[in-house]
PDB file of all heavy atoms in Angstrom:
ATOM      1  N   GLN W1281      27.822 -17.144 -38.366  1.00  0.00           N
ATOM      2  CA  GLN W1281      26.491 -17.190 -37.641  1.00  0.00           C
ATOM      3  C   GLN W1281      26.743 -17.513 -36.130  1.00  0.00           C
ATOM      4  O   GLN W1281      26.068 -16.916 -35.244  1.00  0.00           O
ATOM      5  CB  GLN W1281      25.499 -18.124 -38.177  1.00  0.00           C
ATOM      6  CG  GLN W1281      24.804 -17.558 -39.450  1.00  0.00           C
ATOM      7  CD  GLN W1281      23.735 -18.455 -39.911  1.00  0.00           C
ATOM      8  OE1 GLN W1281      23.638 -19.631 -39.560  1.00  0.00           O
ATOM      9  NE2 GLN W1281      22.823 -17.885 -40.739  1.00  0.00           N
ATOM     10  N   GLU W1282      27.662 -18.565 -35.892  1.00  0.00           N
ATOM     11  CA  GLU W1282      27.851 -18.897 -34.485  1.00  0.00           C
ATOM     12  C   GLU W1282      28.525 -17.753 -33.712  1.00  0.00           C
ATOM     13  O   GLU W1282      28.210 -17.601 -32.458  1.00  0.00           O
ATOM     14  CB  GLU W1282      28.764 -20.149 -34.413  1.00  0.00           C
ATOM     15  CG  GLU W1282      30.156 -20.038 -35.051  1.00  0.00           C
ATOM     16  CD  GLU W1282      30.111 -20.405 -36.543  1.00  0.00           C
ATOM     17  OE1 GLU W1282      29.002 -20.425 -37.151  1.00  0.00           O
ATOM     18  OE2 GLU W1282      31.176 -20.705 -37.071  1.00  0.00           O
ATOM     19  N   SER W1283      29.276 -16.927 -34.370  1.00  0.00           N
ATOM     20  CA  SER W1283      29.913 -15.821 -33.634  1.00  0.00           C
ATOM     21  C   SER W1283      28.835 -14.706 -33.348  1.00  0.00           C
ATOM     22  O   SER W1283      28.810 -14.074 -32.296  1.00  0.00           O
ATOM     23  CB  SER W1283      31.025 -15.178 -34.445  1.00  0.00           C
ATOM     24  OG  SER W1283      32.113 -16.094 -34.586  1.00  0.00           O
ATOM     25  N   GLU W1284      27.922 -14.504 -34.329  1.00  0.00           N
ATOM     26  CA  GLU W1284      26.889 -13.565 -34.076  1.00  0.00           C
ATOM     27  C   GLU W1284      25.997 -14.032 -32.928  1.00  0.00           C
ATOM     28  O   GLU W1284      25.632 -13.169 -32.056  1.00  0.00           O
ATOM     29  CB  GLU W1284      25.974 -13.446 -35.329  1.00  0.00           C
ATOM     30  CG  GLU W1284      26.583 -12.679 -36.421  1.00  0.00           C
ATOM     31  CD  GLU W1284      25.520 -12.353 -37.551  1.00  0.00           C
ATOM     32  OE1 GLU W1284      24.396 -12.707 -37.306  1.00  0.00           O
ATOM     33  OE2 GLU W1284      25.996 -11.984 -38.693  1.00  0.00           O
ATOM     34  N   ALA W1285      25.707 -15.329 -32.818  1.00  0.00           N
ATOM     35  CA  ALA W1285      24.912 -15.829 -31.681  1.00  0.00           C
ATOM     36  C   ALA W1285      25.623 -15.657 -30.372  1.00  0.00           C
ATOM     37  O   ALA W1285      25.037 -15.336 -29.326  1.00  0.00           O
ATOM     38  CB  ALA W1285      24.573 -17.303 -31.977  1.00  0.00           C
ATOM     39  N   LEU W1286      26.943 -15.814 -30.452  1.00  0.00           N
ATOM     40  CA  LEU W1286      27.750 -15.629 -29.180  1.00  0.00           C
ATOM     41  C   LEU W1286      27.682 -14.209 -28.686  1.00  0.00           C
ATOM     42  O   LEU W1286      27.446 -13.944 -27.504  1.00  0.00           O
ATOM     43  CB  LEU W1286      29.220 -16.084 -29.391  1.00  0.00           C
ATOM     44  CG  LEU W1286      30.113 -15.861 -28.219  1.00  0.00           C
ATOM     45  CD1 LEU W1286      29.669 -16.656 -26.930  1.00  0.00           C
ATOM     46  CD2 LEU W1286      31.524 -16.255 -28.545  1.00  0.00           C
ATOM     47  N   PHE W1287      27.884 -13.238 -29.638  1.00  0.00           N
ATOM     48  CA  PHE W1287      27.740 -11.855 -29.261  1.00  0.00           C
ATOM     49  C   PHE W1287      26.479 -11.557 -28.713  1.00  0.00           C
ATOM     50  O   PHE W1287      26.314 -10.886 -27.660  1.00  0.00           O
ATOM     51  CB  PHE W1287      28.057 -10.909 -30.443  1.00  0.00           C
ATOM     52  CG  PHE W1287      29.447 -10.697 -30.812  1.00  0.00           C
ATOM     53  CD1 PHE W1287      29.959 -10.964 -32.010  1.00  0.00           C
ATOM     54  CD2 PHE W1287      30.267 -10.111 -29.823  1.00  0.00           C
ATOM     55  CE1 PHE W1287      31.328 -10.816 -32.285  1.00  0.00           C
ATOM     56  CE2 PHE W1287      31.598  -9.879 -30.091  1.00  0.00           C
ATOM     57  CZ  PHE W1287      32.162 -10.229 -31.384  1.00  0.00           C
ATOM     58  N   ARG W1288      25.360 -12.002 -29.288  1.00  0.00           N
ATOM     59  CA  ARG W1288      24.023 -11.752 -28.861  1.00  0.00           C
ATOM     60  C   ARG W1288      23.809 -12.296 -27.437  1.00  0.00           C
ATOM     61  O   ARG W1288      23.293 -11.627 -26.559  1.00  0.00           O
ATOM     62  CB  ARG W1288      23.019 -12.323 -29.835  1.00  0.00           C
ATOM     63  CG  ARG W1288      21.548 -12.159 -29.273  1.00  0.00           C
ATOM     64  CD  ARG W1288      20.514 -12.587 -30.273  1.00  0.00           C
ATOM     65  NE  ARG W1288      20.441 -11.515 -31.287  1.00  0.00           N
ATOM     66  CZ  ARG W1288      19.733 -10.417 -31.156  1.00  0.00           C
ATOM     67  NH1 ARG W1288      19.082 -10.156 -30.028  1.00  0.00           N
ATOM     68  NH2 ARG W1288      19.680  -9.478 -32.090  1.00  0.00           N
ATOM     69  N   GLN W1289      24.270 -13.532 -27.289  1.00  0.00           N
ATOM     70  CA  GLN W1289      24.182 -14.151 -25.909  1.00  0.00           C
ATOM     71  C   GLN W1289      24.856 -13.361 -24.869  1.00  0.00           C
ATOM     72  O   GLN W1289      24.390 -13.087 -23.754  1.00  0.00           O
ATOM     73  CB  GLN W1289      24.729 -15.587 -25.962  1.00  0.00           C
ATOM     74  CG  GLN W1289      24.633 -16.280 -24.555  1.00  0.00           C
ATOM     75  CD  GLN W1289      25.407 -17.601 -24.506  1.00  0.00           C
ATOM     76  OE1 GLN W1289      26.454 -17.710 -25.286  1.00  0.00           O
ATOM     77  NE2 GLN W1289      25.003 -18.424 -23.658  1.00  0.00           N
ATOM     78  N   MET W1290      26.126 -12.943 -25.174  1.00  0.00           N
ATOM     79  CA  MET W1290      26.957 -12.193 -24.209  1.00  0.00           C
ATOM     80  C   MET W1290      26.409 -10.849 -23.863  1.00  0.00           C
ATOM     81  O   MET W1290      26.358 -10.494 -22.750  1.00  0.00           O
ATOM     82  CB  MET W1290      28.383 -12.059 -24.737  1.00  0.00           C
ATOM     83  CG  MET W1290      29.102 -13.363 -24.801  1.00  0.00           C
ATOM     84  SD  MET W1290      30.698 -13.164 -25.735  1.00  0.00           S
ATOM     85  CE  MET W1290      31.607 -11.953 -24.708  1.00  0.00           C
ATOM     86  N   PHE W1291      25.839 -10.139 -24.855  1.00  0.00           N
ATOM     87  CA  PHE W1291      25.333  -8.786 -24.615  1.00  0.00           C
ATOM     88  C   PHE W1291      23.957  -8.790 -24.009  1.00  0.00           C
ATOM     89  O   PHE W1291      23.621  -7.950 -23.228  1.00  0.00           O
ATOM     90  CB  PHE W1291      25.395  -7.947 -25.915  1.00  0.00           C
ATOM     91  CG  PHE W1291      26.729  -7.455 -26.277  1.00  0.00           C
ATOM     92  CD1 PHE W1291      27.332  -7.847 -27.429  1.00  0.00           C
ATOM     93  CD2 PHE W1291      27.405  -6.692 -25.391  1.00  0.00           C
ATOM     94  CE1 PHE W1291      28.599  -7.370 -27.803  1.00  0.00           C
ATOM     95  CE2 PHE W1291      28.685  -6.235 -25.654  1.00  0.00           C
ATOM     96  CZ  PHE W1291      29.297  -6.618 -26.881  1.00  0.00           C
ATOM     97  N   GLU W1292      23.116  -9.776 -24.379  1.00  0.00           N
ATOM     98  CA  GLU W1292      21.715  -9.766 -23.905  1.00  0.00           C
ATOM     99  C   GLU W1292      21.667 -10.318 -22.474  1.00  0.00           C
ATOM    100  O   GLU W1292      20.799 -10.004 -21.743  1.00  0.00           O
ATOM    101  CB  GLU W1292      20.890 -10.583 -24.867  1.00  0.00           C
ATOM    102  CG  GLU W1292      20.520  -9.851 -26.172  1.00  0.00           C
ATOM    103  CD  GLU W1292      19.580 -10.541 -27.025  1.00  0.00           C
ATOM    104  OE1 GLU W1292      19.324 -11.777 -26.688  1.00  0.00           O
ATOM    105  OE2 GLU W1292      19.094 -10.017 -27.991  1.00  0.00           O
ATOM    106  N   ASN W1293      22.514 -11.242 -22.130  1.00  0.00           N
ATOM    107  CA  ASN W1293      22.487 -11.943 -20.854  1.00  0.00           C
ATOM    108  C   ASN W1293      23.810 -11.727 -20.124  1.00  0.00           C
ATOM    109  O   ASN W1293      24.815 -12.437 -20.418  1.00  0.00           O
ATOM    110  CB  ASN W1293      22.218 -13.404 -20.992  1.00  0.00           C
ATOM    111  CG  ASN W1293      22.028 -14.147 -19.775  1.00  0.00           C
ATOM    112  OD1 ASN W1293      22.236 -13.571 -18.635  1.00  0.00           O
ATOM    113  ND2 ASN W1293      21.821 -15.415 -19.766  1.00  0.00           N
ATOM    114  N   ASN W1294      23.793 -10.825 -19.146  1.00  0.00           N
ATOM    115  CA  ASN W1294      25.093 -10.481 -18.487  1.00  0.00           C
ATOM    116  C   ASN W1294      25.516 -11.605 -17.562  1.00  0.00           C
ATOM    117  O   ASN W1294      26.547 -11.504 -16.915  1.00  0.00           O
ATOM    118  CB  ASN W1294      25.054  -9.145 -17.733  1.00  0.00           C
ATOM    119  CG  ASN W1294      24.037  -9.177 -16.614  1.00  0.00           C
ATOM    120  OD1 ASN W1294      23.452 -10.204 -16.333  1.00  0.00           O
ATOM    121  ND2 ASN W1294      23.909  -8.041 -15.907  1.00  0.00           N
ATOM    122  N   ARG W1295      24.760 -12.753 -17.457  1.00  0.00           N
ATOM    123  CA  ARG W1295      25.217 -13.884 -16.713  1.00  0.00           C
ATOM    124  C   ARG W1295      25.635 -14.985 -17.569  1.00  0.00           C
ATOM    125  O   ARG W1295      25.849 -16.098 -17.082  1.00  0.00           O
ATOM    126  CB  ARG W1295      24.024 -14.287 -15.803  1.00  0.00           C
ATOM    127  CG  ARG W1295      23.535 -13.228 -14.822  1.00  0.00           C
ATOM    128  CD  ARG W1295      22.554 -13.862 -13.779  1.00  0.00           C
ATOM    129  NE  ARG W1295      22.098 -12.783 -12.943  1.00  0.00           N
ATOM    130  CZ  ARG W1295      21.443 -12.999 -11.834  1.00  0.00           C
ATOM    131  NH1 ARG W1295      21.178 -14.207 -11.443  1.00  0.00           N
ATOM    132  NH2 ARG W1295      20.999 -12.001 -11.117  1.00  0.00           N
ATOM    133  N   SER W1296      25.804 -14.760 -18.871  1.00  0.00           N
ATOM    134  CA  SER W1296      26.175 -15.784 -19.791  1.00  0.00           C
ATOM    135  C   SER W1296      27.629 -16.247 -19.610  1.00  0.00           C
ATOM    136  O   SER W1296      28.007 -17.315 -20.024  1.00  0.00           O
ATOM    137  CB  SER W1296      25.960 -15.355 -21.225  1.00  0.00           C
ATOM    138  OG  SER W1296      26.807 -14.240 -21.532  1.00  0.00           O
ATOM    139  N   VAL W1297      28.510 -15.412 -18.988  1.00  0.00           N
ATOM    140  CA  VAL W1297      29.895 -15.764 -18.740  1.00  0.00           C
ATOM    141  C   VAL W1297      29.921 -16.629 -17.438  1.00  0.00           C
ATOM    142  O   VAL W1297      29.540 -16.094 -16.421  1.00  0.00           O
ATOM    143  CB  VAL W1297      30.766 -14.590 -18.657  1.00  0.00           C
ATOM    144  CG1 VAL W1297      32.176 -15.014 -18.203  1.00  0.00           C
ATOM    145  CG2 VAL W1297      30.888 -13.829 -19.996  1.00  0.00           C
ATOM    146  N   LYS W1298      30.212 -17.912 -17.535  1.00  0.00           N
ATOM    147  CA  LYS W1298      30.117 -18.731 -16.442  1.00  0.00           C
ATOM    148  C   LYS W1298      31.525 -19.395 -16.126  1.00  0.00           C
ATOM    149  O   LYS W1298      32.161 -19.870 -17.000  1.00  0.00           O
ATOM    150  CB  LYS W1298      29.085 -19.859 -16.619  1.00  0.00           C
ATOM    151  CG  LYS W1298      27.660 -19.304 -16.795  1.00  0.00           C
ATOM    152  CD  LYS W1298      26.685 -20.349 -16.914  1.00  0.00           C
ATOM    153  CE  LYS W1298      25.261 -19.774 -17.080  1.00  0.00           C
ATOM    154  NZ  LYS W1298      24.215 -20.846 -17.233  1.00  0.00           N
ATOM    155  N   LEU W1299      31.866 -19.416 -14.888  1.00  0.00           N
ATOM    156  CA  LEU W1299      33.133 -19.985 -14.447  1.00  0.00           C
ATOM    157  C   LEU W1299      32.882 -20.958 -13.380  1.00  0.00           C
ATOM    158  O   LEU W1299      32.010 -20.779 -12.540  1.00  0.00           O
ATOM    159  CB  LEU W1299      34.192 -18.892 -13.978  1.00  0.00           C
ATOM    160  CG  LEU W1299      34.385 -17.702 -14.933  1.00  0.00           C
ATOM    161  CD1 LEU W1299      35.252 -16.696 -14.234  1.00  0.00           C
ATOM    162  CD2 LEU W1299      34.935 -18.196 -16.178  1.00  0.00           C
ATOM    163  N   VAL W1300      33.774 -21.938 -13.248  1.00  0.00           N
ATOM    164  CA  VAL W1300      33.820 -22.823 -12.032  1.00  0.00           C
ATOM    165  C   VAL W1300      35.226 -22.692 -11.445  1.00  0.00           C
ATOM    166  O   VAL W1300      36.232 -22.842 -12.151  1.00  0.00           O
ATOM    167  CB  VAL W1300      33.550 -24.379 -12.506  1.00  0.00           C
ATOM    168  CG1 VAL W1300      33.643 -25.229 -11.216  1.00  0.00           C
ATOM    169  CG2 VAL W1300      32.129 -24.401 -13.136  1.00  0.00           C
ATOM    170  N   VAL W1301      35.181 -22.434 -10.131  1.00  0.00           N
ATOM    171  CA  VAL W1301      36.467 -22.023  -9.437  1.00  0.00           C
ATOM    172  C   VAL W1301      36.729 -23.123  -8.335  1.00  0.00           C
ATOM    173  O   VAL W1301      35.834 -23.519  -7.639  1.00  0.00           O
ATOM    174  CB  VAL W1301      36.397 -20.629  -8.839  1.00  0.00           C
ATOM    175  CG1 VAL W1301      37.674 -20.372  -8.031  1.00  0.00           C
ATOM    176  CG2 VAL W1301      36.148 -19.640  -9.931  1.00  0.00           C
ATOM    177  N   ASP W1302      37.933 -23.571  -8.288  1.00  0.00           N
ATOM    178  CA  ASP W1302      38.393 -24.433  -7.173  1.00  0.00           C
ATOM    179  C   ASP W1302      38.404 -23.643  -5.898  1.00  0.00           C
ATOM    180  O   ASP W1302      39.132 -22.677  -5.710  1.00  0.00           O
ATOM    181  CB  ASP W1302      39.757 -24.944  -7.452  1.00  0.00           C
ATOM    182  CG  ASP W1302      40.284 -25.935  -6.366  1.00  0.00           C
ATOM    183  OD1 ASP W1302      39.590 -26.062  -5.330  1.00  0.00           O
ATOM    184  OD2 ASP W1302      41.341 -26.430  -6.515  1.00  0.00           O
ATOM    185  N   PRO W1303      37.525 -24.013  -4.925  1.00  0.00           N
ATOM    186  CA  PRO W1303      37.459 -23.159  -3.605  1.00  0.00           C
ATOM    187  C   PRO W1303      38.749 -23.087  -2.917  1.00  0.00           C
ATOM    188  O   PRO W1303      39.056 -22.084  -2.230  1.00  0.00           O
ATOM    189  CB  PRO W1303      36.360 -23.851  -2.840  1.00  0.00           C
ATOM    190  CG  PRO W1303      35.645 -24.727  -3.857  1.00  0.00           C
ATOM    191  CD  PRO W1303      36.580 -25.050  -4.869  1.00  0.00           C
ATOM    192  N   ALA W1304      39.567 -24.163  -2.966  1.00  0.00           N
ATOM    193  CA  ALA W1304      40.840 -24.209  -2.203  1.00  0.00           C
ATOM    194  C   ALA W1304      41.882 -23.311  -2.723  1.00  0.00           C
ATOM    195  O   ALA W1304      42.439 -22.527  -2.021  1.00  0.00           O
ATOM    196  CB  ALA W1304      41.353 -25.613  -2.149  1.00  0.00           C
ATOM    197  N   SER W1305      42.042 -23.301  -4.066  1.00  0.00           N
ATOM    198  CA  SER W1305      43.173 -22.521  -4.648  1.00  0.00           C
ATOM    199  C   SER W1305      42.705 -21.214  -5.339  1.00  0.00           C
ATOM    200  O   SER W1305      43.502 -20.319  -5.575  1.00  0.00           O
ATOM    201  CB  SER W1305      43.840 -23.413  -5.740  1.00  0.00           C
ATOM    202  OG  SER W1305      42.986 -23.665  -6.837  1.00  0.00           O
ATOM    203  N   GLY W1306      41.420 -21.141  -5.652  1.00  0.00           N
ATOM    204  CA  GLY W1306      40.928 -19.962  -6.395  1.00  0.00           C
ATOM    205  C   GLY W1306      41.148 -20.104  -7.871  1.00  0.00           C
ATOM    206  O   GLY W1306      40.852 -19.269  -8.680  1.00  0.00           O
ATOM    207  N   ALA W1307      41.799 -21.294  -8.286  1.00  0.00           N
ATOM    208  CA  ALA W1307      42.041 -21.381  -9.702  1.00  0.00           C
ATOM    209  C   ALA W1307      40.784 -21.680 -10.509  1.00  0.00           C
ATOM    210  O   ALA W1307      39.861 -22.380 -10.028  1.00  0.00           O
ATOM    211  CB  ALA W1307      42.988 -22.563  -9.901  1.00  0.00           C
ATOM    212  N   ILE W1308      40.679 -21.090 -11.697  1.00  0.00           N
ATOM    213  CA  ILE W1308      39.541 -21.331 -12.596  1.00  0.00           C
ATOM    214  C   ILE W1308      39.686 -22.681 -13.258  1.00  0.00           C
ATOM    215  O   ILE W1308      40.744 -22.904 -14.046  1.00  0.00           O
ATOM    216  CB  ILE W1308      39.426 -20.172 -13.616  1.00  0.00           C
ATOM    217  CG1 ILE W1308      39.044 -18.904 -12.809  1.00  0.00           C
ATOM    218  CG2 ILE W1308      38.296 -20.510 -14.642  1.00  0.00           C
ATOM    219  CD1 ILE W1308      39.232 -17.682 -13.623  1.00  0.00           C
ATOM    220  N   VAL W1309      38.845 -23.639 -13.068  1.00  0.00           N
ATOM    221  CA  VAL W1309      39.057 -24.998 -13.552  1.00  0.00           C
ATOM    222  C   VAL W1309      38.107 -25.216 -14.744  1.00  0.00           C
ATOM    223  O   VAL W1309      38.421 -26.213 -15.584  1.00  0.00           O
ATOM    224  CB  VAL W1309      38.717 -26.042 -12.482  1.00  0.00           C
ATOM    225  CG1 VAL W1309      39.770 -25.904 -11.322  1.00  0.00           C
ATOM    226  CG2 VAL W1309      37.355 -25.901 -11.939  1.00  0.00           C
ATOM    227  N   ARG W1310      37.145 -24.388 -14.916  1.00  0.00           N
ATOM    228  CA  ARG W1310      36.257 -24.664 -16.037  1.00  0.00           C
ATOM    229  C   ARG W1310      35.577 -23.384 -16.470  1.00  0.00           C
ATOM    230  O   ARG W1310      35.229 -22.548 -15.628  1.00  0.00           O
ATOM    231  CB  ARG W1310      35.248 -25.753 -15.879  1.00  0.00           C
ATOM    232  CG  ARG W1310      34.508 -26.269 -17.095  1.00  0.00           C
ATOM    233  CD  ARG W1310      33.837 -27.632 -16.885  1.00  0.00           C
ATOM    234  NE  ARG W1310      32.538 -27.467 -16.192  1.00  0.00           N
ATOM    235  CZ  ARG W1310      32.382 -27.929 -14.957  1.00  0.00           C
ATOM    236  NH1 ARG W1310      33.291 -28.538 -14.269  1.00  0.00           N
ATOM    237  NH2 ARG W1310      31.135 -27.726 -14.334  1.00  0.00           N
ATOM    238  N   ALA W1311      35.398 -23.189 -17.759  1.00  0.00           N
ATOM    239  CA  ALA W1311      34.745 -22.002 -18.207  1.00  0.00           C
ATOM    240  C   ALA W1311      33.924 -22.360 -19.415  1.00  0.00           C
ATOM    241  O   ALA W1311      34.228 -23.176 -20.214  1.00  0.00           O
ATOM    242  CB  ALA W1311      35.696 -20.867 -18.701  1.00  0.00           C
ATOM    243  N   ASN W1312      32.698 -21.648 -19.470  1.00  0.00           N
ATOM    244  CA  ASN W1312      31.827 -21.960 -20.633  1.00  0.00           C
ATOM    245  C   ASN W1312      32.378 -21.300 -21.930  1.00  0.00           C
ATOM    246  O   ASN W1312      33.396 -20.542 -21.883  1.00  0.00           O
ATOM    247  CB  ASN W1312      30.344 -21.574 -20.408  1.00  0.00           C
ATOM    248  CG  ASN W1312      30.194 -20.052 -20.314  1.00  0.00           C
ATOM    249  OD1 ASN W1312      31.123 -19.317 -20.187  1.00  0.00           O
ATOM    250  ND2 ASN W1312      28.890 -19.619 -20.345  1.00  0.00           N
ATOM    251  N   GLN W1313      31.794 -21.463 -23.107  1.00  0.00           N
ATOM    252  CA  GLN W1313      32.311 -20.939 -24.336  1.00  0.00           C
ATOM    253  C   GLN W1313      32.437 -19.448 -24.369  1.00  0.00           C
ATOM    254  O   GLN W1313      33.279 -18.809 -24.888  1.00  0.00           O
ATOM    255  CB  GLN W1313      31.471 -21.419 -25.517  1.00  0.00           C
ATOM    256  CG  GLN W1313      32.198 -21.236 -26.852  1.00  0.00           C
ATOM    257  CD  GLN W1313      33.496 -21.905 -26.973  1.00  0.00           C
ATOM    258  OE1 GLN W1313      33.649 -23.102 -26.613  1.00  0.00           O
ATOM    259  NE2 GLN W1313      34.555 -21.142 -27.382  1.00  0.00           N
ATOM    260  N   ALA W1314      31.355 -18.835 -23.742  1.00  0.00           N
ATOM    261  CA  ALA W1314      31.398 -17.348 -23.724  1.00  0.00           C
ATOM    262  C   ALA W1314      32.555 -16.785 -22.952  1.00  0.00           C
ATOM    263  O   ALA W1314      33.214 -15.830 -23.494  1.00  0.00           O
ATOM    264  CB  ALA W1314      30.056 -16.848 -23.156  1.00  0.00           C
ATOM    265  N   ALA W1315      32.848 -17.370 -21.853  1.00  0.00           N
ATOM    266  CA  ALA W1315      33.973 -16.938 -21.087  1.00  0.00           C
ATOM    267  C   ALA W1315      35.326 -17.210 -21.820  1.00  0.00           C
ATOM    268  O   ALA W1315      36.208 -16.480 -21.821  1.00  0.00           O
ATOM    269  CB  ALA W1315      33.993 -17.605 -19.717  1.00  0.00           C
ATOM    270  N   SER W1316      35.347 -18.404 -22.401  1.00  0.00           N
ATOM    271  CA  SER W1316      36.602 -18.769 -23.196  1.00  0.00           C
ATOM    272  C   SER W1316      36.831 -17.739 -24.291  1.00  0.00           C
ATOM    273  O   SER W1316      37.972 -17.327 -24.492  1.00  0.00           O
ATOM    274  CB  SER W1316      36.435 -20.158 -23.744  1.00  0.00           C
ATOM    275  OG  SER W1316      36.326 -21.172 -22.768  1.00  0.00           O
ATOM    276  N   ASP W1317      35.812 -17.368 -25.051  1.00  0.00           N
ATOM    277  CA  ASP W1317      35.980 -16.504 -26.236  1.00  0.00           C
ATOM    278  C   ASP W1317      36.271 -15.077 -25.716  1.00  0.00           C
ATOM    279  O   ASP W1317      37.016 -14.380 -26.341  1.00  0.00           O
ATOM    280  CB  ASP W1317      34.819 -16.590 -27.105  1.00  0.00           C
ATOM    281  CG  ASP W1317      34.722 -17.914 -27.855  1.00  0.00           C
ATOM    282  OD1 ASP W1317      35.641 -18.686 -27.772  1.00  0.00           O
ATOM    283  OD2 ASP W1317      33.646 -18.198 -28.458  1.00  0.00           O
ATOM    284  N   PHE W1318      35.554 -14.648 -24.648  1.00  0.00           N
ATOM    285  CA  PHE W1318      35.631 -13.300 -24.233  1.00  0.00           C
ATOM    286  C   PHE W1318      36.954 -12.956 -23.483  1.00  0.00           C
ATOM    287  O   PHE W1318      37.508 -11.979 -23.657  1.00  0.00           O
ATOM    288  CB  PHE W1318      34.370 -12.914 -23.397  1.00  0.00           C
ATOM    289  CG  PHE W1318      34.245 -11.423 -23.217  1.00  0.00           C
ATOM    290  CD1 PHE W1318      33.857 -10.645 -24.234  1.00  0.00           C
ATOM    291  CD2 PHE W1318      34.492 -10.943 -21.941  1.00  0.00           C
ATOM    292  CE1 PHE W1318      33.631  -9.256 -24.025  1.00  0.00           C
ATOM    293  CE2 PHE W1318      34.327  -9.559 -21.788  1.00  0.00           C
ATOM    294  CZ  PHE W1318      33.925  -8.743 -22.764  1.00  0.00           C
ATOM    295  N   TYR W1319      37.270 -13.893 -22.537  1.00  0.00           N
ATOM    296  CA  TYR W1319      38.425 -13.620 -21.635  1.00  0.00           C
ATOM    297  C   TYR W1319      39.685 -14.410 -22.077  1.00  0.00           C
ATOM    298  O   TYR W1319      40.745 -14.143 -21.496  1.00  0.00           O
ATOM    299  CB  TYR W1319      38.059 -13.972 -20.262  1.00  0.00           C
ATOM    300  CG  TYR W1319      37.064 -13.096 -19.570  1.00  0.00           C
ATOM    301  CD1 TYR W1319      35.736 -13.407 -19.382  1.00  0.00           C
ATOM    302  CD2 TYR W1319      37.421 -11.758 -19.207  1.00  0.00           C
ATOM    303  CE1 TYR W1319      34.816 -12.561 -18.820  1.00  0.00           C
ATOM    304  CE2 TYR W1319      36.493 -10.890 -18.665  1.00  0.00           C
ATOM    305  CZ  TYR W1319      35.233 -11.292 -18.502  1.00  0.00           C
ATOM    306  OH  TYR W1319      34.366 -10.423 -17.895  1.00  0.00           O
ATOM    307  N   GLY W1320      39.557 -15.391 -22.907  1.00  0.00           N
ATOM    308  CA  GLY W1320      40.693 -16.136 -23.350  1.00  0.00           C
ATOM    309  C   GLY W1320      41.045 -17.324 -22.520  1.00  0.00           C
ATOM    310  O   GLY W1320      42.152 -17.838 -22.467  1.00  0.00           O
ATOM    311  N   TYR W1321      40.110 -17.861 -21.742  1.00  0.00           N
ATOM    312  CA  TYR W1321      40.319 -19.031 -20.917  1.00  0.00           C
ATOM    313  C   TYR W1321      40.491 -20.194 -21.738  1.00  0.00           C
ATOM    314  O   TYR W1321      39.826 -20.325 -22.752  1.00  0.00           O
ATOM    315  CB  TYR W1321      39.088 -19.364 -19.979  1.00  0.00           C
ATOM    316  CG  TYR W1321      38.891 -18.235 -18.938  1.00  0.00           C
ATOM    317  CD1 TYR W1321      37.813 -17.375 -19.060  1.00  0.00           C
ATOM    318  CD2 TYR W1321      39.754 -18.132 -17.838  1.00  0.00           C
ATOM    319  CE1 TYR W1321      37.528 -16.434 -18.102  1.00  0.00           C
ATOM    320  CE2 TYR W1321      39.483 -17.152 -16.877  1.00  0.00           C
ATOM    321  CZ  TYR W1321      38.380 -16.237 -17.065  1.00  0.00           C
ATOM    322  OH  TYR W1321      38.169 -15.330 -16.104  1.00  0.00           O
TER     323      TYR W1321
END
């Protein structure tokens, strides 16, 4: 069920993938669960 909910969240809300980036280096320092599961962060 948690995977179904994740798919629904990702497809229904195109802003559900959220990243936090270090402005100096451009490195991704934090990602929400949708981004982790979808992109492999």
Side-chain angles (χ1 to χ4, degrees):
Q1281 284 188 339
E1282 58 271 20
S1283 296
E1284 286 189 12
L1286 176 60
F1287 276 124
R1288 174 171 286 280
Q1289 179 193 26
M1290 289 169 62
F1291 283 120
E1292 287 185 349
N1293 182 359
N1294 65 0
R1295 300 189 184 192
S1296 64
V1297 174
K1298 296 182 180 180
L1299 308 175
V1300 177
V1301 177
D1302 179 356
S1305 66
I1308 294 167
V1309 296
R1310 195 164 75 247
N1312 69 345
Q1313 192 60 49
S1316 298
D1317 290 350
F1318 192 73
Y1319 290 106
Y1321 295 106

